[in-house]
Amino acid sequence: MTAPGGEVTGSDDFDVVTGAFSYSGAAIASGLQAAGRRVRTLTGHPGRAPAGTAIEVRPLAFGDPAGLTESLRGARTLYNTYWVRFAHGRVSHETAVAQSRVLFQAAAEAGVRRVVHVSITHPDPDSPYPYFRGKAAVEQALGDFGLAHAVLRPAILFGGNGVLLNNIAWLLRRLPVFAVGGSGEYRVRPIHVDDLARLSVQAGKSTETEVVDAVGPERPTFLELVHFIKDAVGSRSQVIRVPGPLIPPAARLLGLTLRDTLLTGDEYQALADGLADTDGPATGEASLTQWITDHKGTLGRTYANELARHFR
Ligand SMILES: NC(=O)c1ccc[n+]([C@@H]2O[C@H](COP(=O)([O-])OP(=O)(O)OC[C@H]3O[C@@H](n4cnc5c(N)ncnc54)[C@H](OP(=O)(O)O)[C@@H]3O)[C@@H](O)[C@H]2O)c1
């Protein structure tokens, strides 16, 4: 049943998506709506709801587990995109693990039938990187709470208003020199955010416990990717290779001028370690290079600020 204003009520069959007004959550929510599903979102940014949205909004309030449970009660599937990109202020990957556990416990208590969880390629409890260790702990937590689940593991997302490719293009449009760390020969395997959404909606329909790498058909080296974006946006920037240890301080300096965290040392190192690449078959369909070509006029025209999106 739906009350006036799109409010999902009573025994209505609906799904819950975290962050339906942010990045991948928005794509998943619209994929679900296109499949005829009613959607409720849990978000820290209710003010970003587009006017007239049919998505019902509830707070992503980890300090109120009972409220979370109520928001999840009656939902068929929880699509979970919640995570934090890097530690900043009082937020860390450790707190994100603890909060993910709060969310899963609420889902279990609410009787949610299935969780479709967005993770990362190569989560590892023994990883030197808190991001990848944390992701392994969150995947583990799904089982700990006895939740039927599917895990989708993207490496990098592109499409929509994503940050990474946009900001590479932004830098290439403005700087005379673009520095690539080390050999630049490490590969990346981005997937279009709508392909991730399609896989998520599919995984929501299944009853299998499954873990799927969500990766696209193209696997350029990072150096190839930067050159492709440079040519597409008509940048005159010189792409140079520099020793890897120079990248984090250079990114920090740029971040200071942009009032953002451009790239953390761990993010660079994980990329250089090949953690944004996989060997298996592609599960995404959209071509990365075609998408860059199609969006060359707008890509990197404005800077996408991660701190403004999620930390202020
Ligand atoms: N983006 C990529 O390239 C990429 C690559 C690999 C894996 N992934 C994984 O994909 C999932 C979704 O990523 P995304 O880029 O689509 O994220 P997103 O939409 O920007 O955010 C996803 C959810 O996390 C919440 N969130 C993000 N940062 C937060 C912070 N600092 N404090 C509190 N809440 C925060 C958002 O809250 P609001 O609802 O308030 O916005 C939203 O509900 C994550 O698990 C991520 O690890 C992403």
Side-chain angles (χ1 to χ4, degrees):
M1 204 194 317
T2 305
E7 178 95 348
V8 179
T9 59
S11 61
D12 215 349
D13 195 16
F14 66 100
D15 296 314
V16 173
V17 181
T18 57
F21 311 129
S22 287
Y23 186 36
S24 56
I28 295 169
S30 90
L32 286 168
Q33 288 182 306
R37 301 289 301 155
R38 296 187 192 285
V39 175
R40 175 181 286 177
T41 189
L42 299 172
T43 177
H45 289 92
R48 291 181 185 165
T53 181
I55 297 174
E56 189 196 347
V57 182
R58 295 284 177 94
L60 184 58
F62 300 106
D64 177 17
L68 276 181
T69 305
E70 279 321 300
S71 296
L72 287 159
R73 198 176 300 287
R76 190 197 292 180
T77 302
L78 166 64
Y79 294 83
N80 178 38
T81 65
Y82 166 70
W83 189 242
V84 297
R85 208 186 108 193
F86 43 71
H88 182 80
R90 291 164 63 179
V91 178
S92 68
H93 292 120
E94 287 74 17
T95 57
V97 172
Q99 293 184 326
S100 300
R101 291 185 68 89
V102 170
L103 180 64
F104 291 162
Q105 181 159 16
E109 284 173 9
V112 167
R113 277 186 260 166
R114 185 165 176 78
V115 178
V116 175
H117 172 67
V118 182
S119 187
I120 189 89
T121 45
H122 307 293
D124 178 359
D126 300 319
S127 171
Y129 308 114
Y131 188 115
F132 291 80
R133 276 203 308 278
K135 282 291 198 179
V138 177
E139 288 192 14
Q140 171 68 38
L142 284 164
D144 292 348
F145 288 107
L147 290 158
H149 62 272
V151 175
L152 297 172
R153 293 175 169 168
I156 288 173
L157 302 178
F158 71 94
N161 66 346
V163 169
L164 181 73
L165 297 196
N166 182 76
N167 286 353
I168 292 174
W170 189 88
L171 292 168
L172 283 164
R173 284 182 187 277
R174 278 159 190 80
L175 299 182
V177 174
F178 186 102
V180 170
S183 68
E185 295 300 318
Y186 31 91
R187 290 186 183 277
V188 292
R189 197 134 184 226
I191 183 169
H192 194 285
V193 68
D194 289 344
D195 276 340
L196 175 70
R198 179 181 47 79
L199 294 173
S200 300
V201 174
Q202 248 169 35
K205 287 182 192 151
S206 161
T207 51
E208 302 291 314
T209 297
E210 47 191 2
V211 178
V212 177
D213 280 341
V215 288
E218 289 172 66
R219 278 172 88 182
T221 66
F222 188 70
L223 195 60
E224 287 167 344
L225 175 64
V226 170
H227 275 290
F228 193 87
I229 297 173
K230 171 183 142 74
D231 293 344
V233 303
S235 156
R236 298 230 186 112
S237 185
Q238 206 187 335
V239 178
I240 57 165
R241 287 188 267 205
V242 300
L246 292 184
I247 294 295
R252 236 182 340 266
L253 206 64
L254 271 171
L256 279 176
T257 66
L258 293 163
R259 297 188 65 234
D260 191 17
T261 298
L262 195 59
L263 184 78
T264 69
D266 275 5
E267 285 176 326
Y268 162 68
Q269 202 51 57
L271 200 65
D273 284 354
L275 297 186
D277 186 27
T278 62
D279 285 327
T283 46
E285 291 166 3
S287 156
L288 169 70
T289 49
Q290 188 60 53
W291 183 85
I292 294 169
T293 304
D294 291 346
H295 294 83
K296 63 186 181 187
T298 49
L299 195 63
R301 288 273 179 213
T302 50
Y303 181 75
N305 190 303
E306 180 74 23
L307 287 185
R309 284 185 183 200
H310 286 307
F311 292 86
R312 291 192 187 112

